[in-house]
Amino acid sequence: MARGSAAPGPGEPGVRTERAAGPGRKASRMSRFLQGGRLFEDRTPGGPVPRLLMRWVRRPLLPAVRLWRRNLQLRVVAGTLLMSIGVVLLLGFVVIGQVRNGLLDAKGKAAQTQAAGGFAAAQEKANAPLAPGGQGSEGADGMAGSTSWRTELVDQLASGGKNAFNVVALSVDSVTEGAGSRAARGSGSVEASSVPDRLRQNVSKGQGAFQTYSLIQYSYGNESQPGLVVGKRLYDIDQQPYELYYLFPLTQEEKSLTLVKTTLATAGLFVVVLLGAIAWFVVRQVVTPVRMAAGIAERLSAGKLQERMKVTGEDDIARLGEAFNKMAQNLQLKIQQLEELSRMQRRFVSDVSHELRTPLTTVRMAADVIHEARADFDPVTARSAELLGDQLDRFESLLADLLEISRFDAGAAALEAEPIDLRTVVHRVIGGAEPLAERKGTRILVVGDDQPVIAEADARRVERVLRNLVVNAVEHGEGRDVVVRMGVAGGAVAVAVRDYGVGLKPGEATRVFNRFWRADPARARTTGGTGLGLSIAVEDARLHGGWLQAWGEPGGGSQFRLTLPRTADEPLRGSPIPLEPEDSRRNRENRERDEAGPGDQRLTSVPPQSGAGARSPLPVPGRGPVARSGAPASVHPAALPGNGARVVARQAPERSGGGRGGVQKSDQEDTTRGY
């Protein structure tokens, strides 16, 4: 709405218009940005780069997030799949662990049994008596004979388990660093390095058999494989200690475990898909009727009262559909009854209003005769004749308003739009309000009339709207100045009327356009209003495809803004004048807080006039209470939708307000037809 400003008095700072202050504000923002990014200190931390990065990341995700939030079936199926995957993975880990432990335990027991038999056979062979000439032929030191004996022992023991295990014989002195060692003997091209050092240490120090899991390595480039190694310390025929190891490959166990894993993965995938399909089918049975009910509810809200749900079966969903259909039927019946009652009431008001015109004309003729002859009456009768004439004037005004309201209710109001200059209409309205302004001691200031304000509109209806706004502002302004501001930008024109009177209390801006509503019923009307002026005004604004909006704060006055499209039937997207004026309490506090910072340039405006008798020392011009501000027209091109009717809570004690009221919505809601 218009940012009200009065003409500056002596010693007061001049009014800076927004057009002149715009470059200064841009320069201030740029300077703050260059001095350390203060322009973004109240928004996302880190400046514009993180915000742009987050916007770039979020943009492709918004459709998916919107689909996730709007689709219940998708959320249920996705949740079922995630929980199913978790359960299958948990069960898979448990089953695989149990199978692996079972296979290893079985392999360990079999290996211990096989190795125990081999160890016993080796020891028995070492304790057997020598055959004549069996060892002496190998050499005097016995080295070659012992080595040959171990080779025969390894081959003999390994021959009983081809591809099932291998045997390795090692000398004990190979464990001690720096000692000479006999050559290791092994079967099946197994390397001696397959035996871990820790196992050899345990075997060399302890009694009995020891086992561990290790990687069995083969010579000639064969691939190594995991296995179980079982070893024990024994004595050869010369009673020299040596180590005998059985190496059992775990190839078969690995194949069995891989088969179990593959089976579990296949079964788990099948179970997850099956559970997802079951969840989709079950949820669809519930979601489909809900979606149908939502669609029918939307069509019912759009006025298609004959819509009903299709009901099949006797389950809970069917009972829900029956209840929904019954509710829709009752609503349709009640709405039809209310519409019929409303039509009857509108017809009654219209008929009564038309029927009253004939007797009112007769009474008016008789009252005029009596009023002209009042000089011949005694003082009491003469005063009664004057009161009769005044009340008949008010009766005629009320009857005319009732007829106009009945036309709007019946949809019979017609718009006679033609290109007009709103400046002419505004000055004509102000000229008609001069007598009331002089009685109230109020000056009416005009801002923004230095350029044409052309729009296609019905001059009679626009004049009626502005007359209501200006007269109300003068009546409720408590003798303070009233500012009428005009603006044009883009495809819209606007006229705002600002007063500094009692204002509007919180919640009153939502009722200010109701019929016969008054903020203070005890407050007397000095202009003889009917209580239908603002109701008719908002209907006139709607007929133009425009907005009529209100703003106010207790003790800080109010502002009413009329916004019209420059071309008939053109939708409005914004208003040239902000709804909340520049000199509102909140804007003043923000301006003072910003001015406390270094290097900040802000607009200055006329301070609020405190006290009932506060007036500017400038004299009222001789041609009437209409004055022109010396400042150029102020048009705010950035006054976009979204700043609808609002009432600022008052900090100081409140004063009682006059009769204003109305229904208000935001600018965004009024982009087609609204106020």
Side-chain angles (χ1 to χ4, degrees):
M1 202 166 181
R3 303 189 177 187
S5 59
E12 295 179 351
V15 178
R16 286 188 183 181
T17 63
E18 297 169 17
R19 183 181 302 169
R25 181 177 297 178
K26 294 180 181 178
S28 174
R29 290 179 178 176
M30 184 59 66
S31 64
R32 285 189 296 166
F33 178 78
L34 296 177
Q35 291 174 2
R38 289 181 58 199
L39 182 61
F40 302 98
E41 63 183 1
D42 295 332
R43 301 178 186 176
T44 304
V49 177
R51 289 209 314 274
L52 292 176
L53 181 61
M54 290 299 298
R55 188 180 303 170
W56 179 78
V57 173
R58 289 174 56 189
R59 185 172 299 171
L61 298 178
L62 287 178
V65 173
R66 189 178 298 110
L67 178 63
W68 175 265
R69 295 178 61 183
R70 293 174 59 89
N71 197 320
L72 176 62
Q73 186 175 359
L74 175 63
R75 293 202 303 270
V76 173
V77 173
T80 303
L81 289 177
L82 291 177
M83 291 187 291
S84 302
I85 291 174
V87 172
V88 169
L89 289 177
L90 180 61
L91 292 177
F93 286 136
V94 173
V95 171
I96 291 174
Q98 293 294 331
V99 172
R100 180 185 58 196
N101 294 335
L103 291 175
L104 293 179
D105 290 343
K107 186 67 175 180
K109 291 179 181 179
Q112 287 285 356
T113 302
Q114 183 70 34
F119 295 151
Q123 193 62 44
E124 181 180 355
K125 183 177 181 181
N127 295 332
L130 293 174
Q135 185 178 353
S137 62
E138 296 297 334
D141 57 359
M143 177 81 66
S146 177
T147 304
S148 176
W149 181 84
R150 291 181 188 176
T151 302
E152 294 176 358
L153 176 64
V154 168
D155 293 339
Q156 181 182 356
L157 295 177
S159 62
K162 188 177 182 180
N163 297 329
F165 59 86
N166 292 296
V167 181
V168 175
L170 300 176
S171 300
V172 176
D173 58 1
S174 64
V175 180
T176 306
E177 186 177 357
S181 61
R182 299 181 178 89
R185 294 293 181 267
S187 64
S189 68
V190 175
E191 295 185 356
S193 59
S194 300
V195 181
D197 293 339
R198 176 170 296 182
L199 178 62
R200 295 198 60 186
Q201 294 175 4
N202 294 335
V203 169
S204 63
K205 294 178 181 178
Q207 298 294 328
F210 296 88
Q211 68 178 21
T212 186
Y213 294 98
S214 178
L215 191 65
I216 302 176
Q217 300 177 357
Y218 299 90
S219 58
Y220 308 112
N222 294 331
E223 185 178 359
S224 59
Q225 56 185 353
L228 176 63
V229 182
V230 182
K232 187 177 181 180
R233 184 175 181 178
L234 301 173
Y235 294 89
D236 59 7
I237 56 175
D238 297 329
Q239 298 302 315
Q240 296 294 328
Y242 73 98
E243 300 168 0
L244 187 62
Y245 296 95
Y246 274 78
L247 290 80
F248 298 90
L250 299 178
T251 306
Q252 189 63 36
E253 285 73 16
E254 270 196 336
K255 291 181 179 179
S256 301
L257 191 60
T258 302
L259 178 61
V260 172
K261 290 181 179 178
T262 304
T263 304
L264 287 177
T266 304
L269 180 61
F270 177 75
V271 169
V272 168
V273 173
L274 181 62
L275 289 177
I278 293 175
W280 179 84
F281 178 76
V282 172
V283 175
R284 182 179 176 84
Q285 299 297 317
V286 178
V287 171
T288 300
V290 174
R291 291 177 177 172
M292 185 185 304
I296 293 176
E298 291 178 355
R299 290 192 289 272
L300 286 174
S301 64
K304 300 178 180 179
L305 303 179
Q306 295 80 16
E307 294 289 334
R308 297 294 184 270
M309 287 185 62
K310 182 180 180 181
V311 179
T312 57
E314 298 179 357
D315 55 4
D316 296 335
I317 300 298
R319 291 198 297 270
L320 175 62
E322 292 176 356
F324 185 89
N325 291 339
K326 186 175 181 181
M327 178 192 68
Q329 184 177 359
N330 293 334
L331 286 177
Q332 181 182 9
L333 180 60
K334 293 295 183 182
I335 291 175
Q336 289 176 351
Q337 292 176 354
L338 292 176
E339 288 179 348
E340 184 64 25
L341 179 61
S342 178
R343 283 194 296 268
M344 292 176 60
Q345 290 177 344
R346 289 197 300 267
R347 184 173 180 180
F348 173 77
V349 172
S350 178
D351 293 344
V352 169
S353 301
H354 283 85
E355 292 297 331
L356 286 177
R357 295 182 66 88
T358 300
L360 180 60
T361 303
T362 304
V363 174
R364 164 59 68 183
M365 294 173 58
D368 290 342
V369 173
I370 296 175
H371 188 270
E372 292 176 357
R374 68 183 184 279
D376 301 332
F377 301 152
D378 58 273
V380 176
T381 306
R383 178 56 180 165
S384 300
E386 294 176 355
L387 293 176
L388 178 61
D390 295 339
Q391 294 304 315
L392 281 175
D393 292 338
R394 185 174 181 182
F395 190 15
E396 287 181 338
S397 177
L398 176 59
L399 186 58
D401 290 344
L402 286 175
L403 288 173
E404 190 68 24
I405 285 291
S406 65
R407 294 191 189 97
F408 283 118
D409 291 340
L415 185 68
E416 300 177 0
E418 59 181 359
I420 60 173
D421 191 345
L422 293 184
R423 296 181 301 175
T424 305
V425 179
V426 168
H427 285 289
R428 188 162 59 245
V429 168
I430 293 176
E434 287 180 4
L436 177 61
E438 291 178 352
R439 292 198 304 270
K440 291 285 188 176
T442 299
R443 294 185 310 167
I444 303 177
L445 310 176
V446 181
V447 178
D449 61 342
D450 57 343
Q451 59 179 339
V453 185
I454 307 298
E456 292 184 4
D458 191 331
R460 179 181 65 86
R461 296 183 182 276
V462 173
E463 182 177 352
R464 180 166 57 190
V465 174
L466 296 179
R467 184 184 304 111
N468 273 285
L469 300 183
V470 172
V471 170
N472 283 342
V474 172
E475 185 180 25
H476 302 285
E478 296 188 339
R480 301 188 180 103
D481 293 343
V482 172
V483 181
V484 179
R485 172 168 293 182
M486 290 175 282
V488 54
V493 298
V495 179
V497 180
R498 172 78 161 108
D499 68 80
Y500 298 89
V502 295
L504 296 173
K505 299 177 183 178
E508 290 183 353
T510 61
R511 304 187 301 273
V512 71
F513 297 107
N514 288 350
R515 299 176 184 181
F516 300 106
W517 184 85
R518 300 181 64 187
D520 185 6
R523 184 183 179 95
R525 286 193 177 98
T526 60
T527 58
T530 62
L532 295 173
L534 290 179
S535 301
I536 296 175
V538 76
E539 294 293 345
D540 284 331
R542 287 176 177 175
L543 193 61
H544 284 84
W547 308 332
L548 181 58
Q549 298 167 292
W551 169 93
E553 58 185 4
S558 60
Q559 181 162 276
F560 285 74
R561 180 184 67 182
L562 173 64
T563 307
L564 301 176
R566 298 183 66 177
T567 305
D569 298 330
E570 179 182 358
L572 288 177
R573 294 180 176 84
S575 178
I577 303 174
L579 181 61
E580 183 174 352
E582 186 78 13
D583 55 355
S584 66
R585 183 181 296 115
R586 187 182 66 167
N587 287 337
R588 292 199 309 270
E589 292 175 354
N590 294 338
R591 192 160 47 246
E592 292 172 358
R593 183 168 55 253
D594 294 336
E595 288 176 352
D600 212 2
Q601 300 178 3
R602 296 288 172 177
L603 294 176
T604 59
S605 61
V606 176
Q609 302 164 342
S610 60
R615 291 295 308 279
S616 171
L618 284 178
V620 178
R623 60 186 177 90
V626 180
R628 285 280 306 277
S629 172
S634 175
V635 176
H636 198 298
L640 297 177
N643 56 348
R646 66 186 306 270
V647 175
V648 181
R650 184 183 183 186
Q651 305 295 334
E654 301 178 358
R655 286 192 273 179
S656 61
R660 290 188 184 175
V663 176
Q664 275 297 322
K665 298 181 181 178
S666 66
D667 288 2
Q668 186 65 34
E669 297 173 346
D670 302 328
T671 54
T672 54
R673 277 186 179 268
Y675 45 90

